[in-house]
Amino acid sequence: RRDHPSEFASGNIRARALAIDDGSGGRVVLISVELLAVPRALTELVAARIMKALGLDRGQILINASGTHNAPFVRELQPDLAPAGAEEQRRIAEYSAWLSHSLVELASASFSNMQSARIGVAFGHASFAVNASLRTAMNAAIPTGPTGPVDTAVPVLRVSSTTGRTLAVVFGYRSEERRVGKE
C-alpha cells in the first residue's frame, strides 16, 4: 500500500474531447480522461460549466474515465483513502480545480473543430478478457477467488463524415470481475 504522495510521473495524463453535430442541430461532446474515475461532484461541475459555455443540455455531455490506477488523486473520489495531511489535501484541491477548468476548455476547443457527422455502433470481442479474481500462471500475485463471469464485449462507436470518411473511433473495454452476493 502506498504511504506517501507520488514523487514523479513517468508520462503525461491525457484527456480527449470529441464534439459531434448530427447536421440537424443535435450536438454532443464526449470527454475521456486518463483517471481511475471522475467523482460525481466533479462531473456535475464540469457538465454545468459546459452547459453554460456551449448551450448544451446535460444529456449531450458524456465524461468518461479510462480506469487507470496510476493517475493523480482527485478530490471526493475516494474519501476513505484521501490523505490526512493539510498540504496534500491542498494539492489535491488545486489539481481538482485545475482539472475541472481544463476539461471545460477542452470541450469548448472541440466545438471549434466540430463538423456534421454520422455515428455507427457495433460490438467487438476482447478474447484476452479474464476474470480479475482468477490466478494465472503469468501473474501469481492475482488472488484466487470466485470464477465469476467475464464480459468480453467491446462497444465501438464509429464517427464518420457525411461523405463516409472515418473521423474518429471510440471504444471502451474494462476487464473486471463481477461478484454477486456478500463477501
Side-chain angles (χ1 to χ4, degrees), residues 46-112:
V46 170
R49 290 177 178 169
I50 291 170
M51 290 164 56
K52 183 176 180 180
L54 301 175
L56 298 177
D57 293 329
R58 181 61 181 97
Q60 295 172 285
I61 303 164
L62 175 88
I63 302 172
N64 177 66
S66 66
T68 184
H69 291 272
N70 298 311
F73 196 91
V74 179
R75 188 177 192 172
E76 297 182 27
L77 179 57
Q78 295 173 309
D80 55 329
L81 297 178
E87 175 59 21
E88 188 63 14
Q89 289 287 352
R90 182 190 63 74
R91 291 176 67 202
I92 291 168
E94 284 179 5
Y95 175 74
S96 298
W98 174 85
L99 178 64
S100 66
H101 177 76
S102 297
L103 293 178
V104 173
E105 282 187 345
L106 180 64
S108 296
S110 72
F111 268 73
S112 67

Coordinates of all heavy atoms in Angstrom, one line a residue, residues 46-112:
V46 N -18.2 20.2 -14.0 CA -17.7 20.3 -15.4 C -18.9 20.4 -16.4 O -19.0 21.2 -17.2 CB -16.8 19.2 -15.8 CG1 -16.5 19.2 -17.3 CG2 -15.5 19.3 -15.0
A47 N -19.9 19.5 -16.2 CA -21.0 19.5 -17.1 C -21.8 20.8 -17.0 O -22.2 21.4 -18.0 CB -22.0 18.3 -16.7
A48 N -22.0 21.4 -15.8 CA -22.7 22.6 -15.6 C -22.0 23.8 -16.3 O -22.6 24.6 -17.0 CB -22.9 23.0 -14.1
R49 N -20.7 23.8 -16.2 CA -19.9 24.8 -16.9 C -19.9 24.7 -18.4 O -20.0 25.6 -19.2 CB -18.4 24.8 -16.4 CG -18.3 25.3 -15.0 CD -16.9 25.2 -14.5 NE -16.8 25.7 -13.1 CZ -15.7 25.5 -12.4 NH1 -14.6 24.9 -12.9 NH2 -15.7 26.0 -11.1
I50 N -19.9 23.4 -18.9 CA -20.0 23.2 -20.4 C -21.4 23.6 -20.8 O -21.5 24.2 -21.9 CB -19.7 21.7 -20.7 CG1 -18.2 21.4 -20.4 CG2 -20.1 21.4 -22.1 CD1 -17.9 19.9 -20.5
M51 N -22.4 23.2 -20.1 CA -23.8 23.6 -20.5 C -23.9 25.1 -20.6 O -24.5 25.6 -21.6 CB -24.8 23.1 -19.4 CG -24.9 21.6 -19.4 SD -25.7 20.9 -18.0 CE -27.3 21.8 -17.9
K52 N -23.3 25.8 -19.7 CA -23.4 27.3 -19.7 C -22.5 27.9 -20.9 O -23.0 28.7 -21.6 CB -22.9 27.9 -18.4 CG -23.0 29.4 -18.4 CD -22.5 29.9 -17.0 CE -22.6 31.4 -17.0 NZ -22.2 32.0 -15.7
A53 N -21.3 27.3 -21.1 CA -20.4 27.8 -22.1 C -20.9 27.5 -23.5 O -20.7 28.3 -24.5 CB -19.0 27.3 -21.9
L54 N -21.5 26.3 -23.7 CA -21.8 25.8 -25.1 C -23.3 25.7 -25.4 O -23.7 25.3 -26.5 CB -21.1 24.5 -25.3 CG -19.6 24.5 -25.2 CD1 -19.0 23.1 -25.3 CD2 -18.9 25.4 -26.2
G55 N -24.1 25.9 -24.4 CA -25.6 25.9 -24.6 C -26.1 24.4 -24.8 O -27.0 24.2 -25.5
L56 N -25.4 23.5 -24.1 CA -25.9 22.1 -24.2 C -26.7 21.7 -23.1 O -26.7 22.4 -22.0 CB -24.6 21.2 -24.2 CG -23.6 21.3 -25.4 CD1 -22.5 20.4 -25.2 CD2 -24.3 21.1 -26.7
D57 N -27.5 20.6 -23.2 CA -28.2 20.0 -22.1 C -27.3 19.0 -21.5 O -26.4 18.5 -22.1 CB -29.5 19.4 -22.6 CG -30.5 20.4 -23.2 OD1 -30.6 21.5 -22.7 OD2 -31.3 20.0 -24.1
R58 N -27.7 18.6 -20.3 CA -26.8 17.6 -19.6 C -26.7 16.3 -20.3 O -25.7 15.6 -20.3 CB -27.4 17.4 -18.2 CG -26.6 16.4 -17.3 CD -25.2 16.9 -17.1 NE -24.3 16.0 -16.4 CZ -23.5 15.1 -16.9 NH1 -23.4 15.0 -18.2 NH2 -22.8 14.3 -16.2
G59 N -27.8 15.9 -21.0 CA -27.8 14.7 -21.8 C -26.9 14.7 -23.0 O -26.7 13.7 -23.7
Q60 N -26.3 15.8 -23.3 CA -25.5 16.0 -24.5 C -24.0 15.9 -24.1 O -23.1 16.2 -24.9 CB -25.8 17.3 -25.2 CG -27.2 17.3 -25.8 CD -27.5 18.7 -26.3 OE1 -27.7 19.7 -25.6 NE2 -27.4 18.9 -27.6
I61 N -23.7 15.6 -22.9 CA -22.3 15.6 -22.4 C -22.0 14.3 -21.7 O -22.7 13.8 -20.8 CB -22.2 16.7 -21.3 CG1 -22.5 18.1 -21.9 CG2 -20.7 16.7 -20.8 CD1 -22.8 19.2 -20.8
L62 N -21.0 13.6 -22.2 CA -20.5 12.4 -21.6 C -19.1 12.6 -21.1 O -18.2 13.0 -21.9 CB -20.5 11.3 -22.7 CG -20.0 9.9 -22.2 CD1 -21.1 9.1 -21.5 CD2 -19.3 9.2 -23.3
I63 N -18.8 12.2 -19.9 CA -17.5 12.3 -19.3 C -17.1 10.9 -18.9 O -17.8 10.3 -18.1 CB -17.4 13.3 -18.1 CG1 -17.8 14.7 -18.6 CG2 -16.0 13.3 -17.6 CD1 -18.0 15.7 -17.5
N64 N -16.0 10.4 -19.4 CA -15.6 9.0 -19.2 C -14.2 9.0 -18.6 O -13.3 9.8 -19.0 CB -15.6 8.3 -20.5 CG -15.1 6.9 -20.4 OD1 -15.7 6.1 -19.8 ND2 -14.0 6.6 -21.0
A65 N -13.9 8.1 -17.7 CA -12.6 7.8 -17.2 C -12.1 6.5 -17.7 O -12.8 5.5 -17.8 CB -12.6 7.8 -15.7
S66 N -10.8 6.5 -18.1 CA -10.2 5.3 -18.7 C -10.0 4.1 -17.7 O -9.9 3.0 -18.0 CB -8.9 5.6 -19.4 OG -7.9 6.0 -18.4
G67 N -9.9 4.5 -16.4 CA -9.8 3.4 -15.4 C -8.3 3.2 -14.9 O -8.1 2.2 -14.3
T68 N -7.4 4.0 -15.2 CA -6.0 3.8 -14.8 C -5.9 3.9 -13.3 O -6.6 4.7 -12.6 CB -5.0 4.8 -15.5 OG1 -3.7 4.4 -15.1 CG2 -5.3 6.2 -15.1
H69 N -5.0 3.2 -12.7 CA -4.7 3.3 -11.3 C -3.4 4.1 -11.0 O -2.9 4.2 -9.9 CB -4.5 1.9 -10.7 CG -5.7 1.1 -10.7 ND1 -6.6 1.1 -9.6 CD2 -6.3 0.3 -11.6 CE1 -7.7 0.4 -9.8 NE2 -7.5 -0.2 -11.0
N70 N -2.9 4.7 -12.1 CA -1.6 5.4 -12.0 C -1.8 6.9 -12.3 O -0.9 7.5 -12.9 CB -0.6 4.8 -12.9 CG -0.3 3.4 -12.5 OD1 -0.1 3.1 -11.4 ND2 -0.4 2.5 -13.5
A71 N -2.9 7.5 -11.8 CA -3.1 8.9 -12.1 C -3.3 9.7 -10.7 O -3.4 9.0 -9.7 CB -4.4 9.1 -12.9
P72 N -3.2 11.0 -10.8 CA -3.4 11.8 -9.6 C -4.7 11.5 -8.8 O -5.7 11.1 -9.4 CB -3.3 13.2 -10.1 CG -2.7 13.2 -11.4 CD -3.1 11.8 -12.0
F73 N -4.6 11.7 -7.5 CA -5.8 11.6 -6.7 C -6.7 12.8 -7.0 O -6.2 13.9 -7.1 CB -5.4 11.6 -5.2 CG -6.5 11.2 -4.3 CD1 -6.6 9.8 -4.0 CD2 -7.4 12.0 -3.8 CE1 -7.6 9.4 -3.1 CE2 -8.4 11.6 -2.9 CZ -8.5 10.3 -2.6
V74 N -8.0 12.6 -7.2 CA -9.0 13.7 -7.4 C -9.9 13.8 -6.2 O -10.3 12.8 -5.7 CB -9.8 13.3 -8.7 CG1 -10.8 14.4 -9.0 CG2 -8.9 13.1 -9.9
R75 N -10.1 15.0 -5.9 CA -11.0 15.4 -4.7 C -12.3 14.7 -4.8 O -12.9 14.6 -5.8 CB -11.2 16.9 -4.7 CG -11.8 17.4 -3.5 CD -11.9 18.9 -3.6 NE -12.3 19.4 -2.3 CZ -12.2 20.7 -2.0 NH1 -11.9 21.6 -2.9 NH2 -12.6 21.1 -0.9
E76 N -12.7 14.1 -3.7 CA -14.0 13.4 -3.5 C -14.1 12.1 -4.2 O -15.2 11.5 -4.2 CB -15.2 14.3 -3.9 CG -15.3 15.6 -3.0 CD -16.5 16.4 -3.3 OE1 -17.5 15.9 -3.8 OE2 -16.4 17.6 -3.1
L77 N -13.1 11.6 -4.8 CA -13.1 10.3 -5.5 C -13.3 9.2 -4.5 O -14.2 8.4 -4.6 CB -11.9 10.1 -6.4 CG -11.9 8.8 -7.2 CD1 -13.2 8.6 -8.0 CD2 -10.7 8.7 -8.0
Q78 N -12.4 9.1 -3.5 CA -12.4 8.0 -2.5 C -12.1 8.6 -1.2 O -10.9 8.6 -0.7 CB -11.4 6.9 -2.9 CG -11.7 6.2 -4.2 CD -10.6 5.2 -4.6 OE1 -9.5 5.6 -4.6 NE2 -11.0 4.0 -4.8
P79 N -13.0 9.3 -0.6 CA -12.8 10.0 0.7 C -12.1 9.1 1.8 O -11.2 9.7 2.5 CB -14.2 10.4 1.2 CG -15.0 10.4 -0.1 CD -14.4 9.3 -0.9
D80 N -12.4 7.8 1.8 CA -11.7 7.0 2.8 C -10.2 6.8 2.5 O -9.5 6.4 3.4 CB -12.4 5.7 2.9 CG -12.5 4.9 1.6 OD1 -12.6 5.6 0.6 OD2 -12.5 3.7 1.6
L81 N -9.8 7.0 1.3 CA -8.3 6.9 1.0 C -7.6 8.2 0.9 O -6.4 8.3 0.7 CB -8.2 6.2 -0.3 CG -8.7 4.7 -0.4 CD1 -8.5 4.2 -1.8 CD2 -8.0 3.9 0.6
A82 N -8.3 9.3 1.1 CA -7.7 10.7 1.0 C -6.7 10.9 2.0 O -6.8 10.5 3.2 CB -8.8 11.7 1.1
P83 N -5.6 11.5 1.7 CA -4.5 11.8 2.6 C -5.0 12.7 3.7 O -5.9 13.6 3.4 CB -3.4 12.5 1.8 CG -3.7 12.1 0.4 CD -5.2 11.9 0.3
A84 N -4.5 12.5 4.9 CA -5.0 13.4 6.0 C -4.3 14.7 6.2 O -4.8 15.6 6.7 CB -4.8 12.6 7.3
G85 N -3.1 14.8 5.6 CA -2.3 16.0 5.7 C -2.8 17.2 5.0 O -3.3 17.1 3.9
A86 N -2.8 18.4 5.6 CA -3.3 19.6 5.0 C -2.6 19.9 3.7 O -3.3 20.4 2.8 CB -3.2 20.7 6.0
E87 N -1.3 19.8 3.6 CA -0.6 20.2 2.4 C -1.0 19.3 1.2 O -1.3 19.8 0.1 CB 0.9 20.1 2.6 CG 1.7 20.3 1.4 CD 1.5 21.7 0.7 OE1 1.0 22.6 1.4 OE2 1.8 21.8 -0.5
E88 N -1.1 18.0 1.5 CA -1.6 17.1 0.4 C -3.0 17.4 0.0 O -3.4 17.3 -1.2 CB -1.4 15.6 0.8 CG -1.6 14.6 -0.3 CD -0.6 14.8 -1.5 OE1 0.4 15.4 -1.4 OE2 -0.9 14.2 -2.6
Q89 N -3.9 17.6 1.0 CA -5.3 18.0 0.7 C -5.3 19.3 -0.2 O -6.1 19.3 -1.1 CB -6.0 18.2 2.0 CG -6.3 17.0 2.8 CD -7.4 16.1 2.1 OE1 -8.0 16.5 1.2 NE2 -7.6 14.9 2.6
R90 N -4.5 20.2 0.1 CA -4.4 21.5 -0.7 C -4.0 21.2 -2.1 O -4.6 21.7 -3.1 CB -3.5 22.5 0.0 CG -3.4 23.8 -0.8 CD -2.3 24.7 -0.3 NE -1.0 24.1 -0.5 CZ -0.4 24.1 -1.8 NH1 -1.0 24.5 -2.8 NH2 0.8 23.5 -1.9
R91 N -3.0 20.3 -2.3 CA -2.6 20.0 -3.6 C -3.6 19.2 -4.4 O -3.8 19.4 -5.6 CB -1.3 19.1 -3.5 CG -0.1 20.0 -3.0 CD 1.1 19.1 -2.8 NE 1.6 18.7 -4.1 CZ 2.4 17.6 -4.3 NH1 2.8 17.0 -3.2 NH2 2.8 17.3 -5.5
I92 N -4.4 18.3 -3.7 CA -5.5 17.6 -4.4 C -6.6 18.6 -4.8 O -7.1 18.5 -5.9 CB -6.0 16.5 -3.5 CG1 -5.0 15.4 -3.3 CG2 -7.3 16.0 -4.0 CD1 -5.3 14.4 -2.2
A93 N -6.9 19.5 -3.9 CA -7.9 20.5 -4.3 C -7.5 21.4 -5.4 O -8.3 21.7 -6.4 CB -8.2 21.4 -3.0
E94 N -6.2 21.8 -5.5 CA -5.7 22.6 -6.6 C -5.8 21.8 -7.9 O -6.2 22.3 -8.9 CB -4.3 23.1 -6.3 CG -4.2 24.2 -5.3 CD -2.7 24.6 -5.1 OE1 -1.8 24.1 -5.7 OE2 -2.5 25.5 -4.2
Y95 N -5.3 20.5 -7.9 CA -5.4 19.7 -9.1 C -6.8 19.5 -9.5 O -7.1 19.6 -10.7 CB -4.7 18.3 -8.8 CG -4.8 17.4 -10.0 CD1 -4.0 17.6 -11.1 CD2 -5.7 16.4 -10.0 CE1 -4.1 16.8 -12.3 CE2 -5.9 15.6 -11.1 CZ -5.1 15.8 -12.3 OH -5.2 15.0 -13.4
S96 N -7.7 19.2 -8.6 CA -9.1 19.0 -9.0 C -9.7 20.3 -9.6 O -10.4 20.2 -10.6 CB -9.9 18.6 -7.8 OG -9.4 17.4 -7.3
A97 N -9.4 21.4 -9.1 CA -9.9 22.7 -9.7 C -9.3 22.9 -11.1 O -10.0 23.3 -12.0 CB -9.5 23.9 -8.8
W98 N -8.0 22.7 -11.2 CA -7.3 22.8 -12.5 C -7.9 21.8 -13.5 O -8.2 22.2 -14.7 CB -5.8 22.5 -12.4 CG -5.1 22.5 -13.7 CD1 -4.6 23.6 -14.4 CD2 -4.8 21.3 -14.5 NE1 -4.1 23.1 -15.6 CE2 -4.2 21.8 -15.6 CE3 -5.1 20.0 -14.3 CZ2 -3.8 20.9 -16.6 CZ3 -4.7 19.1 -15.3 CH2 -4.0 19.6 -16.4
L99 N -8.2 20.6 -13.1 CA -8.7 19.6 -13.9 C -10.1 20.0 -14.4 O -10.4 19.9 -15.6 CB -8.8 18.2 -13.2 CG -9.5 17.1 -14.0 CD1 -8.6 16.7 -15.2 CD2 -9.6 15.9 -13.1
S100 N -11.0 20.5 -13.6 CA -12.3 20.9 -14.0 C -12.2 22.0 -15.0 O -12.9 22.0 -16.0 CB -13.2 21.3 -12.8 OG -12.7 22.4 -12.2
H101 N -11.4 23.0 -14.8 CA -11.2 24.1 -15.7 C -10.7 23.6 -17.0 O -11.2 24.0 -18.1 CB -10.3 25.1 -15.1 CG -10.0 26.3 -16.0 ND1 -10.9 27.3 -16.2 CD2 -8.9 26.5 -16.8 CE1 -10.3 28.1 -17.1 NE2 -9.1 27.7 -17.4
S102 N -9.7 22.7 -17.0 CA -9.1 22.2 -18.2 C -10.1 21.4 -19.1 O -10.1 21.4 -20.3 CB -7.9 21.3 -17.9 OG -6.9 22.1 -17.3
L103 N -11.0 20.6 -18.4 CA -11.9 19.8 -19.1 C -13.0 20.6 -19.8 O -13.4 20.3 -21.0 CB -12.6 18.7 -18.2 CG -11.7 17.6 -17.7 CD1 -12.5 16.7 -16.7 CD2 -11.0 16.9 -18.8
V104 N -13.4 21.7 -19.2 CA -14.3 22.7 -19.8 C -13.6 23.3 -21.0 O -14.2 23.4 -22.1 CB -14.8 23.7 -18.8 CG1 -15.6 24.8 -19.5 CG2 -15.6 23.1 -17.7
E105 N -12.4 23.7 -20.9 CA -11.6 24.3 -22.0 C -11.5 23.3 -23.2 O -11.6 23.7 -24.3 CB -10.3 24.8 -21.6 CG -10.3 26.1 -20.8 CD -8.8 26.6 -20.5 OE1 -7.9 25.8 -20.7 OE2 -8.7 27.8 -20.2
L106 N -11.2 22.1 -22.8 CA -11.1 21.1 -23.8 C -12.4 20.8 -24.6 O -12.4 20.8 -25.8 CB -10.6 19.7 -23.2 CG -10.4 18.6 -24.1 CD1 -9.3 18.8 -25.1 CD2 -10.1 17.3 -23.2
A107 N -13.5 20.8 -23.9 CA -14.8 20.6 -24.5 C -15.1 21.8 -25.5 O -15.5 21.6 -26.6 CB -15.9 20.5 -23.5
S108 N -14.8 23.0 -25.0 CA -15.0 24.2 -25.8 C -14.1 24.2 -27.1 O -14.6 24.5 -28.2 CB -14.7 25.4 -25.0 OG -15.6 25.5 -23.9
A109 N -12.9 23.8 -26.9 CA -12.0 23.7 -28.1 C -12.5 22.7 -29.1 O -12.3 22.8 -30.3 CB -10.6 23.4 -27.6
S110 N -13.0 21.6 -28.6 CA -13.5 20.5 -29.5 C -14.6 21.0 -30.4 O -14.8 20.6 -31.5 CB -13.9 19.3 -28.8 OG -15.1 19.5 -28.0
F111 N -15.4 22.0 -29.9 CA -16.5 22.5 -30.7 C -16.0 23.4 -31.8 O -16.7 23.6 -32.8 CB -17.5 23.3 -29.8 CG -18.6 22.4 -29.3 CD1 -18.4 21.5 -28.3 CD2 -19.9 22.6 -29.8 CE1 -19.4 20.7 -27.9 CE2 -20.9 21.7 -29.4 CZ -20.7 20.8 -28.4
S112 N -14.8 23.9 -31.7 CA -14.3 24.7 -32.8 C -13.9 23.9 -34.0 O -13.7 24.3 -35.1 CB -13.1 25.6 -32.3 OG -12.0 24.7 -32.0

